[in-house]
Amino acid sequence: MPTSVIFIALAIAMALVLAVIVLFPWFGNLSTNLAKPERDNQLLTLNIDVFKQRLAELEDDFLQQQIDKTTYDSQKLVLERQLLDIDERLNSHRFIPNGKSRLIFMIWIPCLVAMAYYLIADRSETFKLWQAEESMGQVADDLLTGKIQTPPESVSKDLLGFVNTLQTNVHHHATDPMRWFRMSQVYTMFEAPEQAVESLARAYRLQPNDEQIAIAYAQTSFFSQGGVLNAQSRQILTNLLKQNPKHQGAQMLMAMGDMRDGNYAEARQWVHLLKTDISARSGDHSQAIQSLNELEQNINEKEAQSKQAIDIKVNINPEILGRVKKGDTLFVSIRAVAGGMPVAVKKLSADSLTKDGLNISMSDNDSIMPTERLSQAIQAKKALAVTARISTSGDATVQKGDLQSNPVSLQEKGVTVMIDKVY
């Protein structure tokens, strides 16, 4: 049975149940309700008898001169008022529900619920998702469970619906790490790196000892952050190398990450381990060795360039240090005072920034354009300024809520910048 039919049937049933609950007080014994006027009349007769008895006693007291005329009149007036008040309450208008009124409310309440559902909220997207699940649900499940490696061409007619169906399937099986892993591959195919990293993070939390998931998580995080090996990715690779010391993918990522972080000796060591492992294998691996030689040469060149680095001290005002959250990104930029594109930019994790500040160095390795290096700008004696910014989103452009510093003129011996304002 289609999902939409089941949903509508259940909604109608729930509306009827709520109507019964609301109208439950009306479903008492009708004869009991009809007997109420008779009981009320009996009560009124009893009160009249009591009134006559008390009035007779009052007259006896007056005739025996136990009370004066004024007291007699006032008490008689009080008794008459009490009797009239009881009579008015018992004879007030009452609504006694009958079968017709019950039937009207039984139909009226579900109709109002249905009108509110269709008029207040637009459920077209929900119905589209149900239609996509009915037509492509099995294909999505087969893809996420590895029964098929590529989806059929028929899903290209509704790619958005197919992705939504995949997401629904994954959340219905939220404890299956391989579904999250394969979902990340779909995100990568659609060039959605942030969603791919999030899917891999879930898969890794569910199964941290799986080498395939671990290396994919570290690699996707590495490239999505512009080739920066953050603390979490480094820890993942360290754990992976403890399980498998000769894992070439982990060794290559460590070499590239150390080179980017300026740990050139460690980077060369990883390259040496890779060369040793590859050379020990049978077969022709000359192309792989050549690639590693080029990587080692690149490491040496970057190390030589780093010797001309500029030392920069980044401080932050203690009053806004509490705004820095785990996972924020620190950008340190050097650009011409006259404006334009930055000459060099360094992207770091803001987690290492403390009240004591952070010491970094910037060189040609951090240059944006190969045609205009930092050393060339310094030799040309261009007026340069250094700025630091902490971004929650990780975007290169300034966003509202970012923490930043004022520009500080670059000096040959280094410079200190202070992050002290909120954008």
Side-chain angles (χ1 to χ4, degrees), residues 47-62:
N47 280 279
I48 291 174
D49 292 340
V50 173
F51 168 77
K52 291 180 178 180
Q53 182 181 358
R54 294 182 61 186
L55 184 60
E57 294 176 354
L58 185 64
E59 289 179 353
D60 289 340
D61 292 341
F62 175 69

Side-chain angles (χ1 to χ4, degrees), residues 192-194 197 217-228 230 347 394:
E194 293 182 3
V197 171
Y217 182 23
Q219 185 176 2
T220 306
S221 300
F222 177 79
F223 289 109
S224 66
Q225 296 182 7
V228 176
N230 58 25
K347 181 180 178 182

Side-chain angles (χ1 to χ4, degrees), residues 408-419:
V408 179
S409 298
L410 180 64
Q411 306 294 328
E412 293 183 3
K413 294 183 180 180
V415 67
T416 299
V417 294
M418 171 68 75
I419 300 175

Side-chain angles (χ1 to χ4, degrees), residues 287-305:
Q287 187 175 358
I289 296 297
Q290 178 62 28
S291 298
L292 290 173
N293 288 334
E294 293 176 358
L295 177 59
E296 187 173 15
Q297 182 179 357
N298 191 18
I299 293 171
N300 294 333
E301 290 177 357
K302 288 186 175 296
E303 184 178 20
Q305 293 173 354

